Amino acid sequence: MDHGKITSFQVSLLMYSVILATGFITIPGISAHYAMNDFWLAPIVAIAAGGIVLAISIKLHRLYPDKNLIQYSERIIGKVPGKILGLIYCQFFVFTGGIVCREYAEFVTGNFLFKTPMFCLVILMVLLAAFAVRGGVELVVRSTLLLTPLFILPLFFLLLLIPDFEISNILPFMSHGMIPVIQGSLAPISWYSEFLIIAFFLPSVIDKNKTVKYSILSLLAVSASLTYVCLVSLFVLGSDTADKVYPVLTAFRYISRADFFENLEALLLAMWVVGNFIKIAAVYYAAVLSFTSCFNLKDYKPFVFPIGMLIVIHCFWDFPSFFKLSGFLHSTGLFHLSTFMLVIPILLLIIALCRKQWSKLIT
């Protein structure tokens, strides 16, 4: 198993990049489809889901220190059911890794590298992530520390669009009631639920007393960033946001200042590549640990490349076209992610607390 050591701040920075990597470019369009001009409220409404997932992850970690999600699942629901759940989670993370890889490749080939084979982009990204995962938790986290500034910086260039903002696009406020906003928040909820990945990194944290503080800061930073991106999309594109697959890309193409700040889509591409590398590496790491923890293996490194091959297979096998991927992300995918990263952890915590209470009663 991985014996690397990391800090709470490093984990919080990792989770910020993991959630925002694909969320900032897809959530505005998905949420606007349901919530119309109130879609900017969706990340704020959905923040409760992220708080619940973080609270569950931290509470389970405190109940079972030095154990990851799969290891304490065996303690909670039994050895055999726990191993079955571990294999299911391994498959889930492999599947999720395939989704992220396909999102990454579709965006790059569809908007920038038109003639580049998608397979080449996916292989290179998974190979790069594989080397990071083989290097251990410290390499994954330190890569995040190095790359996160490059990931955040392009968002500030959206402020160049302030002279083009149509603030009136935010009106009428809540004209359709709260139901459309709740429907639009399903996308952010599924993204926020990815905070569960922190359960595979908490056993390596050395300053556990700071975990809660930095986790809350990470959650607030994610919510603020998504709200900011949604507001920029709303002020620039208005009701057309719902018709755009990548609203943020369209907003970047509007930037033109002093005949110097133009054609800044390259910055968005750099942000997309860096963010997806971090996210793929984190999901990849979770998939590998799920598999090795399930079989109590001492060394996870021999299984890194085989699991990487499975991620590549899922990337193309599960989604033969962009329309299939888009349909999944707009419907089934929202409930798929929430089930594994929100509902099941809640059930595990309830069972764990019941078992703890029962053990007190019989002793």
Side-chain angles (χ1 to χ4, degrees):
M1 301 301 292
D2 192 350
H3 299 290
K5 298 300 178 183
I6 55 179
T7 66
S8 297
F9 172 74
Q10 292 172 334
V11 173
S12 66
L13 203 60
L14 172 72
M15 296 314 303
Y16 173 83
S17 299
V18 166
I19 307 303
L20 206 62
T22 52
F24 81 98
I25 208 166
T26 54
I27 284 179
I30 297 175
S31 296
H33 180 74
Y34 298 99
M36 290 154 282
N37 64 306
D38 295 318
F39 70 91
W40 63 276
L41 291 170
I44 301 174
V45 173
I47 195 173
I52 291 172
V53 173
L54 280 173
I56 292 170
S57 301
I58 293 172
K59 180 62 177 179
L60 286 171
H61 174 66
R62 288 178 175 175
L63 290 174
Y64 304 96
D66 302 322
K67 303 288 184 183
N68 61 42
L69 176 65
I70 309 306
Q71 291 170 330
Y72 55 64
S73 292
E74 294 185 21
R75 299 275 298 274
I76 295 172
I77 61 177
K79 190 172 183 179
V80 174
K83 289 187 180 299
I84 294 173
L85 184 63
L87 288 175
I88 293 173
Y89 263 105
C90 178
Q91 172 60 24
F92 166 74
F93 285 121
V94 168
F95 177 74
T96 303
I99 295 174
V100 179
C101 286
R102 189 56 181 262
E103 285 184 273
Y104 156 74
E106 287 283 1
F107 178 78
V108 174
T109 57
N111 297 281
F112 297 96
L113 307 179
F114 304 103
K115 296 183 179 181
T116 303
M118 189 181 298
F119 183 77
C120 294
L121 292 174
V122 172
I123 285 291
L124 289 174
M125 179 59 79
V126 172
L127 187 62
L128 185 62
F131 285 119
V133 173
R134 277 184 61 86
V137 65
E138 290 186 8
L139 182 56
V140 173
V141 169
R142 287 175 182 173
S143 298
T144 304
L145 286 174
L146 178 65
L147 297 174
T148 297
L150 300 176
F151 175 68
I152 297 175
L153 182 62
L155 289 177
F156 290 99
F157 282 90
L158 289 172
L159 295 175
L160 294 172
L161 289 169
I162 289 178
D164 300 315
F165 281 1
E166 291 289 341
I167 307 299
S168 60
N169 288 339
I170 204 171
L171 301 174
F173 178 69
M174 297 285 288
S175 60
H176 298 86
M178 196 64 189
I179 299 301
V181 176
I182 294 174
Q183 291 175 327
S185 69
L186 291 177
I189 285 173
S190 63
W191 260 266
Y192 280 134
S193 66
E194 293 176 347
F195 269 109
L196 183 70
I197 295 175
I198 200 175
F200 292 91
F201 292 89
L202 287 178
S204 301
V205 173
I206 54 176
D207 54 343
K208 299 183 185 298
N209 59 315
K210 299 179 181 179
T211 301
V212 174
K213 179 180 73 174
Y214 283 115
S215 296
I216 293 174
L217 289 176
S218 179
L219 175 62
L220 293 176
V222 168
S223 180
S225 298
L226 287 177
T227 304
Y228 162 71
V229 169
C230 287
L231 283 172
V232 170
S233 301
L234 176 63
F235 292 154
V236 174
L237 303 176
S239 59
D240 291 338
T241 303
D243 301 324
K244 307 294 183 183
V245 179
Y246 306 117
V248 178
L249 175 62
T250 305
F252 262 93
R253 286 175 173 166
Y254 273 101
I255 298 176
S256 179
R257 291 289 175 267
D259 295 327
F260 181 75
F261 290 104
E262 295 180 331
N263 302 316
L264 298 182
E265 300 96 314
L267 289 175
L268 185 63
L269 175 61
M271 182 181 181
W272 182 251
V273 172
V274 167
N276 276 270
F277 163 72
I278 296 171
K279 183 163 189 171
I280 291 168
V283 174
Y284 196 163
Y285 182 78
V288 172
L289 280 196
S290 295
F291 181 82
T292 54
S293 298
C294 186
F295 294 102
N296 298 322
L297 301 173
K298 294 183 178 180
D299 188 8
Y300 69 91
K301 293 182 180 179
F303 304 95
V304 171
F305 288 109
I307 289 178
M309 292 175 62
L310 290 176
I311 291 175
V312 174
I313 291 171
H314 276 278
C315 175
F316 295 99
W317 188 8
D318 295 329
F319 305 102
S321 68
F322 173 76
F323 299 102
K324 292 285 187 180
L325 174 65
S326 180
F328 177 81
L329 293 176
H330 280 75
S331 56
T332 312
L334 306 180
F335 299 97
H336 179 78
L337 282 171
S338 300
T339 298
F340 282 94
M341 294 194 169
L342 181 59
V343 177
I344 294 179
I346 289 175
L347 295 176
L348 286 175
L349 179 60
I350 292 173
I351 296 172
L353 292 176
C354 290
R355 288 174 63 94
K356 184 178 180 181
Q357 189 65 29
W358 176 255
S359 63
K360 287 182 179 180
L361 291 174
I362 62 176
T363 56

mmCIF file of all heavy atoms in Angstrom, residues 49-73:
data_model
loop_
_atom_site.group_PDB
_atom_site.id
_atom_site.type_symbol
_atom_site.label_atom_id
_atom_site.label_comp_id
_atom_site.label_asym_id
_atom_site.label_seq_id
_atom_site.Cartn_x
_atom_site.Cartn_y
_atom_site.Cartn_z
ATOM 1 N N ALA A 49 -24.971 19.376 -0.536
ATOM 2 C CA ALA A 49 -24.577 18.007 -0.887
ATOM 3 C C ALA A 49 -23.078 17.811 -0.677
ATOM 4 O O ALA A 49 -22.642 16.778 -0.145
ATOM 5 C CB ALA A 49 -24.954 17.704 -2.336
ATOM 6 N N GLY A 50 -22.280 18.803 -1.090
ATOM 7 C CA GLY A 50 -20.842 18.705 -0.874
ATOM 8 C C GLY A 50 -20.499 18.670 0.597
ATOM 9 O O GLY A 50 -19.609 17.918 1.021
ATOM 10 N N GLY A 51 -21.213 19.479 1.399
ATOM 11 C CA GLY A 51 -20.971 19.465 2.835
ATOM 12 C C GLY A 51 -21.305 18.129 3.463
ATOM 13 O O GLY A 51 -20.578 17.641 4.346
ATOM 14 N N ILE A 52 -22.383 17.505 2.992
ATOM 15 C CA ILE A 52 -22.777 16.190 3.520
ATOM 16 C C ILE A 52 -21.726 15.133 3.186
ATOM 17 O O ILE A 52 -21.326 14.332 4.037
ATOM 18 C CB ILE A 52 -24.154 15.780 2.960
ATOM 19 C CG1 ILE A 52 -25.246 16.683 3.531
ATOM 20 C CG2 ILE A 52 -24.455 14.315 3.277
ATOM 21 C CD1 ILE A 52 -26.605 16.488 2.887
ATOM 22 N N VAL A 53 -21.260 15.128 1.944
ATOM 23 C CA VAL A 53 -20.260 14.140 1.531
ATOM 24 C C VAL A 53 -18.966 14.310 2.326
ATOM 25 O O VAL A 53 -18.365 13.335 2.789
ATOM 26 C CB VAL A 53 -19.975 14.251 0.025
ATOM 27 C CG1 VAL A 53 -18.819 13.338 -0.384
ATOM 28 C CG2 VAL A 53 -21.217 13.890 -0.780
ATOM 29 N N LEU A 54 -18.530 15.556 2.497
ATOM 30 C CA LEU A 54 -17.315 15.805 3.272
ATOM 31 C C LEU A 54 -17.489 15.379 4.727
ATOM 32 O O LEU A 54 -16.595 14.764 5.318
ATOM 33 C CB LEU A 54 -16.949 17.290 3.201
ATOM 34 C CG LEU A 54 -16.228 17.749 1.940
ATOM 35 C CD1 LEU A 54 -16.079 19.263 1.941
ATOM 36 C CD2 LEU A 54 -14.860 17.088 1.824
ATOM 37 N N ALA A 55 -18.642 15.706 5.314
ATOM 38 C CA ALA A 55 -18.902 15.335 6.705
ATOM 39 C C ALA A 55 -18.895 13.823 6.881
ATOM 40 O O ALA A 55 -18.325 13.299 7.850
ATOM 41 C CB ALA A 55 -20.242 15.912 7.155
ATOM 42 N N ILE A 56 -19.509 13.113 5.941
ATOM 43 C CA ILE A 56 -19.541 11.642 5.996
ATOM 44 C C ILE A 56 -18.133 11.080 5.872
ATOM 45 O O ILE A 56 -17.733 10.182 6.632
ATOM 46 C CB ILE A 56 -20.451 11.086 4.890
ATOM 47 C CG1 ILE A 56 -21.909 11.436 5.174
ATOM 48 C CG2 ILE A 56 -20.282 9.576 4.753
ATOM 49 C CD1 ILE A 56 -22.836 11.126 4.021
ATOM 50 N N SER A 57 -17.370 11.586 4.914
ATOM 51 C CA SER A 57 -16.011 11.081 4.686
ATOM 52 C C SER A 57 -15.133 11.283 5.910
ATOM 53 O O SER A 57 -14.381 10.377 6.314
ATOM 54 C CB SER A 57 -15.391 11.772 3.467
ATOM 55 O OG SER A 57 -16.157 11.553 2.304
ATOM 56 N N ILE A 58 -15.215 12.470 6.495
ATOM 57 C CA ILE A 58 -14.380 12.767 7.664
ATOM 58 C C ILE A 58 -14.835 11.955 8.878
ATOM 59 O O ILE A 58 -14.007 11.446 9.648
ATOM 60 C CB ILE A 58 -14.418 14.280 7.959
ATOM 61 C CG1 ILE A 58 -13.738 15.045 6.817
ATOM 62 C CG2 ILE A 58 -13.733 14.586 9.287
ATOM 63 C CD1 ILE A 58 -13.895 16.547 6.909
ATOM 64 N N LYS A 59 -16.149 11.820 9.070
ATOM 65 C CA LYS A 59 -16.661 11.053 10.205
ATOM 66 C C LYS A 59 -16.266 9.581 10.102
ATOM 67 O O LYS A 59 -15.813 8.982 11.097
ATOM 68 C CB LYS A 59 -18.185 11.182 10.253
ATOM 69 C CG LYS A 59 -18.842 10.421 11.410
ATOM 70 C CD LYS A 59 -18.384 10.936 12.755
ATOM 71 C CE LYS A 59 -19.098 10.220 13.898
ATOM 72 N NZ LYS A 59 -18.637 10.702 15.234
ATOM 73 N N LEU A 60 -16.405 8.993 8.927
ATOM 74 C CA LEU A 60 -16.012 7.588 8.745
ATOM 75 C C LEU A 60 -14.509 7.412 8.939
ATOM 76 O O LEU A 60 -14.058 6.398 9.481
ATOM 77 C CB LEU A 60 -16.427 7.110 7.353
ATOM 78 C CG LEU A 60 -17.920 6.847 7.152
ATOM 79 C CD1 LEU A 60 -18.228 6.584 5.678
ATOM 80 C CD2 LEU A 60 -18.374 5.661 7.995
ATOM 81 N N HIS A 61 -13.753 8.413 8.498
ATOM 82 C CA HIS A 61 -12.297 8.328 8.686
ATOM 83 C C HIS A 61 -11.941 8.357 10.171
ATOM 84 O O HIS A 61 -11.025 7.654 10.611
ATOM 85 C CB HIS A 61 -11.617 9.478 7.952
ATOM 86 C CG HIS A 61 -10.149 9.562 8.210
ATOM 87 N ND1 HIS A 61 -9.251 8.595 7.789
ATOM 88 C CD2 HIS A 61 -9.398 10.502 8.863
ATOM 89 C CE1 HIS A 61 -8.032 8.926 8.166
ATOM 90 N NE2 HIS A 61 -8.096 10.075 8.815
ATOM 91 N N ARG A 62 -12.675 9.159 10.944
ATOM 92 C CA ARG A 62 -12.401 9.218 12.381
ATOM 93 C C ARG A 62 -12.835 7.950 13.098
ATOM 94 O O ARG A 62 -12.227 7.550 14.096
ATOM 95 C CB ARG A 62 -13.105 10.441 12.977
ATOM 96 C CG ARG A 62 -12.457 11.766 12.574
ATOM 97 C CD ARG A 62 -13.190 12.965 13.129
ATOM 98 N NE ARG A 62 -12.473 14.202 12.833
ATOM 99 C CZ ARG A 62 -12.915 15.421 13.118
ATOM 100 N NH1 ARG A 62 -14.105 15.548 13.713
ATOM 101 N NH2 ARG A 62 -12.195 16.483 12.820
ATOM 102 N N LEU A 63 -13.891 7.327 12.598
ATOM 103 C CA LEU A 63 -14.328 6.054 13.186
ATOM 104 C C LEU A 63 -13.346 4.935 12.866
ATOM 105 O O LEU A 63 -13.135 4.017 13.674
ATOM 106 C CB LEU A 63 -15.722 5.685 12.671
ATOM 107 C CG LEU A 63 -16.894 6.531 13.165
ATOM 108 C CD1 LEU A 63 -18.185 6.132 12.449
ATOM 109 C CD2 LEU A 63 -17.064 6.389 14.672
ATOM 110 N N TYR A 64 -12.740 5.002 11.671
ATOM 111 C CA TYR A 64 -11.801 3.964 11.235
ATOM 112 C C TYR A 64 -10.525 4.630 10.716
ATOM 113 O O TYR A 64 -10.299 4.718 9.509
ATOM 114 C CB TYR A 64 -12.430 3.102 10.142
ATOM 115 C CG TYR A 64 -13.746 2.476 10.557
ATOM 116 C CD1 TYR A 64 -14.961 3.082 10.222
ATOM 117 C CD2 TYR A 64 -13.783 1.309 11.302
ATOM 118 C CE1 TYR A 64 -16.173 2.526 10.611
ATOM 119 C CE2 TYR A 64 -14.986 0.744 11.694
ATOM 120 C CZ TYR A 64 -16.174 1.365 11.347
ATOM 121 O OH TYR A 64 -17.368 0.807 11.733
ATOM 122 N N PRO A 65 -9.679 5.117 11.633
ATOM 123 C CA PRO A 65 -8.452 5.819 11.214
ATOM 124 C C PRO A 65 -7.538 4.916 10.391
ATOM 125 O O PRO A 65 -7.503 3.694 10.577
ATOM 126 C CB PRO A 65 -7.793 6.192 12.547
ATOM 127 C CG PRO A 65 -8.883 6.106 13.560
ATOM 128 C CD PRO A 65 -9.819 5.042 13.084
ATOM 129 N N ASP A 66 -6.818 5.530 9.481
ATOM 130 C CA ASP A 66 -5.843 4.837 8.631
ATOM 131 C C ASP A 66 -6.492 3.812 7.703
ATOM 132 O O ASP A 66 -5.803 2.906 7.200
ATOM 133 C CB ASP A 66 -4.760 4.145 9.485
ATOM 134 C CG ASP A 66 -4.039 5.146 10.379
ATOM 135 O OD1 ASP A 66 -3.788 6.278 9.922
ATOM 136 O OD2 ASP A 66 -3.754 4.794 11.540
ATOM 137 N N LYS A 67 -7.799 3.909 7.506
ATOM 138 C CA LYS A 67 -8.493 3.028 6.565
ATOM 139 C C LYS A 67 -9.119 3.869 5.460
ATOM 140 O O LYS A 67 -9.631 4.963 5.716
ATOM 141 C CB LYS A 67 -9.611 2.237 7.276
ATOM 142 C CG LYS A 67 -9.150 1.391 8.455
ATOM 143 C CD LYS A 67 -8.375 0.181 8.003
ATOM 144 C CE LYS A 67 -8.023 -0.697 9.203
ATOM 145 N NZ LYS A 67 -7.199 -1.863 8.796
ATOM 146 N N ASN A 68 -9.095 3.348 4.231
ATOM 147 C CA ASN A 68 -9.791 4.045 3.157
ATOM 148 C C ASN A 68 -11.224 3.514 3.034
ATOM 149 O O ASN A 68 -11.644 2.640 3.795
ATOM 150 C CB ASN A 68 -9.034 3.937 1.830
ATOM 151 C CG ASN A 68 -8.873 2.498 1.357
ATOM 152 O OD1 ASN A 68 -9.800 1.692 1.448
ATOM 153 N ND2 ASN A 68 -7.693 2.156 0.840
ATOM 154 N N LEU A 69 -11.951 4.017 2.071
ATOM 155 C CA LEU A 69 -13.376 3.693 1.925
ATOM 156 C C LEU A 69 -13.619 2.193 1.823
ATOM 157 O O LEU A 69 -14.548 1.661 2.448
ATOM 158 C CB LEU A 69 -13.932 4.395 0.682
ATOM 159 C CG LEU A 69 -15.378 4.095 0.301
ATOM 160 C CD1 LEU A 69 -16.324 4.608 1.371
ATOM 161 C CD2 LEU A 69 -15.722 4.713 -1.047
ATOM 162 N N ILE A 70 -12.816 1.503 1.057
ATOM 163 C CA ILE A 70 -13.025 0.067 0.843
ATOM 164 C C ILE A 70 -12.673 -0.727 2.093
ATOM 165 O O ILE A 70 -13.375 -1.683 2.458
ATOM 166 C CB ILE A 70 -12.183 -0.425 -0.352
ATOM 167 C CG1 ILE A 70 -12.427 0.468 -1.575
ATOM 168 C CG2 ILE A 70 -12.511 -1.875 -0.678
ATOM 169 C CD1 ILE A 70 -13.869 0.618 -1.970
ATOM 170 N N GLN A 71 -11.610 -0.325 2.780
ATOM 171 C CA GLN A 71 -11.169 -1.066 3.962
ATOM 172 C C GLN A 71 -12.175 -0.982 5.103
ATOM 173 O O GLN A 71 -12.451 -1.978 5.764
ATOM 174 C CB GLN A 71 -9.803 -0.532 4.406
ATOM 175 C CG GLN A 71 -8.685 -0.873 3.430
ATOM 176 C CD GLN A 71 -7.399 -0.142 3.752
ATOM 177 O OE1 GLN A 71 -7.408 0.961 4.285
ATOM 178 N NE2 GLN A 71 -6.265 -0.754 3.407
ATOM 179 N N TYR A 72 -12.732 0.215 5.326
ATOM 180 C CA TYR A 72 -13.695 0.267 6.431
ATOM 181 C C TYR A 72 -15.088 -0.193 6.007
ATOM 182 O O TYR A 72 -15.932 -0.458 6.858
ATOM 183 C CB TYR A 72 -13.736 1.619 7.130
ATOM 184 C CG TYR A 72 -13.989 2.865 6.308
ATOM 185 C CD1 TYR A 72 -15.189 3.062 5.627
ATOM 186 C CD2 TYR A 72 -13.049 3.888 6.260
ATOM 187 C CE1 TYR A 72 -15.434 4.227 4.915
ATOM 188 C CE2 TYR A 72 -13.280 5.063 5.557
ATOM 189 C CZ TYR A 72 -14.471 5.229 4.885
ATOM 190 O OH TYR A 72 -14.704 6.387 4.194
ATOM 191 N N SER A 73 -15.334 -0.338 4.718
ATOM 192 C CA SER A 73 -16.597 -0.939 4.285
ATOM 193 C C SER A 73 -16.680 -2.387 4.741
ATOM 194 O O SER A 73 -17.752 -2.874 5.118
ATOM 195 C CB SER A 73 -16.734 -0.860 2.767
ATOM 196 O OG SER A 73 -16.888 0.474 2.340
#
